[in-house]
Amino acid sequence: MTNAFASMLDSHDVILADGATGTNLFQMGLQSGDAPELWNTDEPDKIIALYRGSVDAGSDLFLTNTFGGTAARLKLHDAQDRVRELNRAGAELGRAVADKAGRKVIVAGSVGPTGEIMEPVGALTHATAVEMFHEQAEGLKEGGVDVLWLETISAPEEFRAAAEAFALADMPWCGTMSFDTAGRTMMGVTSSDLAQLVETLPNPPLAFGANCGTGASDILRTVLGFAAQGTKRPIISKGNAGIPKYVDGHIHYDGTPELMGHYASMARDAGATIIGGCCGTMPDHLRKMREALDTTARGERPTLDQITSALGPFTSASDGTGDEAAVPERRGRRRRRA
């Protein structure tokens, strides 16, 4: 492997990724229901600020503002004819920020789900899904991303379609699913299922893992599930900053920067190589995560009890694999001493 991301995997013991996109953009004025991708051309300074926030906080890698960049998602905003333009613009802004960072920073082209259900359950065909993912991938490639980054996927069929599309674009890629339904994805995939799926792909990802989901505790249980499969492929953990709650009419994530620092070091010890945040994760969280990864010695793989003691209870009794006996009972949140 000679691409920039593969080189970073070879040279770094652990890679700090970025945090939230939507949470940060809402603080900059994005309104609910708006397409963030349109800001790549309409508000480029704000997207640059988004990227710089992660880089300045110490991230080695950040995702582009292109999560909803397929034709299916952009059609909701009458922008389905702007797929390549908007993805290229988001990537170009990222490339400019990374190239001025003064150190090596990876630009990862974010590719989210189409928002449609694939056959045989839904109407989206494999061929159409591949076509949409390929179109987005080509725009990101033109904009200069180092790696494509599939995220928040629920269905194995969509994961396979994206893998095929990325091969057509001749780009390296990573892929994560969201395990947000009692340890499974919305379509029933478990951590062990994904670990096995990636090894069956003709064009496997350089790294795979989980993002979003519920809280920090749950995603670490999923990471342990990946590691238990004996995978040699780097594992990704991009968990939310705590649990979302409505506060004064807005969604607020209760994870403090200190909690996310604990999460980062525990994710590394659990087996993750690429560690970042998802919803609710701000630059202040990333700074504590950077500090924890740089100053905390690597430890033994954490137990489920240690995870809940440090980060709070799991949101479900099982991780979806059926090994319910290994899961501690739900308890009140306690924080590890700093």
Side-chain angles (χ1 to χ4, degrees), residues 23-41:
T23 309
N24 283 279
L25 293 184
F26 285 136
Q27 290 205 348
M28 296 181 190
L30 184 73
Q31 299 298 304
S32 179
D34 289 349
E37 293 75 21
L38 296 179
W39 273 23
N40 292 339
T41 55

Side-chain angles (χ1 to χ4, degrees), residues 224-250:
L224 290 176
F226 295 141
Q229 297 300 307
T231 182
K232 302 300 182 185
R233 205 171 293 278
I235 295 171
I236 300 165
S237 178
K238 281 187 107 252
N240 292 340
I243 305 296
K245 298 178 180 178
Y246 277 102
V247 179
D248 297 329
H250 300 282

Side-chain angles (χ1 to χ4, degrees), residues 216-225 262-263 265-271 299-314 319 323 325-329 331 334 336:
S217 297
D218 293 73
I219 202 168
L220 291 193
R221 185 169 61 178
T222 299
V223 169
L224 290 176
H262 294 328
Y263 149 77
S265 59
M266 294 187 86
R268 176 198 60 197
D269 295 345
E300 297 294 322
R301 188 157 291 172
T303 65
L304 297 180
D305 277 321
Q306 288 170 333
I307 290 171
T308 56
S309 292
L311 304 179
F314 299 123
D319 67 352
D323 188 15
V327 180
E329 294 181 359
R331 66 196 69 184
R334 289 184 289 147
R336 180 198 294 174

Side-chain angles (χ1 to χ4, degrees), residues 191-316:
S191 57
S192 59
D193 291 337
L194 178 57
Q196 294 167 30
L197 169 64
V198 297
E199 302 306 331
T200 68
L201 298 172
N203 175 39
L206 295 182
F208 78 99
N211 78 292
C212 202
T214 47
S217 297
D218 293 73
I219 202 168
L220 291 193
R221 185 169 61 178
T222 299
V223 169
L224 290 176
F226 295 141
Q229 297 300 307
T231 182
K232 302 300 182 185
R233 205 171 293 278
I235 295 171
I236 300 165
S237 178
K238 281 187 107 252
N240 292 340
I243 305 296
K245 298 178 180 178
Y246 277 102
V247 179
D248 297 329
H250 300 282
I251 294 178
H252 171 75
Y253 287 82
D254 65 1
T256 64
E258 289 74 19
L259 181 140
M260 290 302 283
H262 294 328
Y263 149 77
S265 59
M266 294 187 86
R268 176 198 60 197
D269 295 345
T273 298
I274 303 150
I275 300 164
C278 204
C279 302
T281 308
M282 309 297 283
D284 284 346
H285 295 97
L286 293 173
R287 290 186 184 92
K288 282 294 184 181
M289 293 165 69
R290 177 82 274 169
E291 178 183 346
L293 292 173
D294 290 346
T295 63
T296 305
R298 183 178 288 274
E300 297 294 322
R301 188 157 291 172
T303 65
L304 297 180
D305 277 321
Q306 288 170 333
I307 290 171
T308 56
S309 292
L311 304 179
F314 299 123
T315 60
S316 62

Side-chain angles (χ1 to χ4, degrees), residues 21-296:
T21 295
T23 309
N24 283 279
L25 293 184
F26 285 136
Q27 290 205 348
M28 296 181 190
L30 184 73
Q31 299 298 304
S32 179
D34 289 349
E37 293 75 21
L38 296 179
W39 273 23
N40 292 339
T41 55
D42 296 347
E43 298 279 1
D45 289 345
K46 292 182 179 179
I47 302 306
I48 288 172
L50 168 73
Y51 297 158
R52 282 180 176 163
S54 296
V55 174
D56 291 347
S59 293
D60 302 303
L61 174 154
F62 66 84
L63 275 59
T64 56
N65 178 43
T66 54
F67 177 83
T70 58
R73 295 290 290 267
L74 291 174
K75 186 177 181 179
L76 301 175
H77 307 277
D78 197 29
Q80 64 270 24
D81 295 331
R82 301 181 63 191
V83 171
R84 287 179 80 139
E85 173 202 358
L86 292 172
N87 281 278
R88 182 175 62 250
E92 287 173 344
L93 295 173
R95 184 77 270 152
V97 170
D99 289 347
K100 295 177 181 177
R103 56 187 171 84
K104 186 60 182 177
V105 174
I106 297 297
V107 181
S110 174
V111 177
T114 63
E116 300 186 7
I117 306 298
M118 292 191 66
E119 292 180 334
V121 178
L124 180 62
T125 67
H126 175 81
T128 300
V130 171
E131 181 180 356
M132 286 194 291
F133 284 132
H134 184 206
E135 181 182 26
Q136 182 179 14
E138 290 293 349
L140 292 167
K141 181 179 181 179
E142 290 171 2
V145 300
D146 296 300
V147 62
L148 300 175
W149 194 280
L150 184 69
E151 56 175 335
T152 326
I153 301 299
S154 296
E157 295 83 4
E158 195 163 32
F159 205 88
R160 292 189 188 97
E164 184 175 327
F166 300 159
L168 293 174
D170 193 27
M171 284 290 292
W173 67 288
C174 298
T176 60
M177 287 187 165
S178 180
F179 297 83
D180 53 6
T181 310
R184 295 171 177 257
T185 73
M186 183 177 66
M187 302 306 285
V189 179
T190 66
S191 57
S192 59
D193 291 337
L194 178 57
Q196 294 167 30
L197 169 64
V198 297
E199 302 306 331
T200 68
L201 298 172
N203 175 39
L206 295 182
F208 78 99
N211 78 292
C212 202
T214 47
S217 297
D218 293 73
I219 202 168
L220 291 193
R221 185 169 61 178
T222 299
V223 169
L224 290 176
F226 295 141
Q229 297 300 307
T231 182
K232 302 300 182 185
R233 205 171 293 278
I235 295 171
I236 300 165
S237 178
K238 281 187 107 252
N240 292 340
I243 305 296
K245 298 178 180 178
Y246 277 102
V247 179
D248 297 329
H250 300 282
I251 294 178
H252 171 75
Y253 287 82
D254 65 1
T256 64
E258 289 74 19
L259 181 140
M260 290 302 283
H262 294 328
Y263 149 77
S265 59
M266 294 187 86
R268 176 198 60 197
D269 295 345
T273 298
I274 303 150
I275 300 164
C278 204
C279 302
T281 308
M282 309 297 283
D284 284 346
H285 295 97
L286 293 173
R287 290 186 184 92
K288 282 294 184 181
M289 293 165 69
R290 177 82 274 169
E291 178 183 346
L293 292 173
D294 290 346
T295 63
T296 305

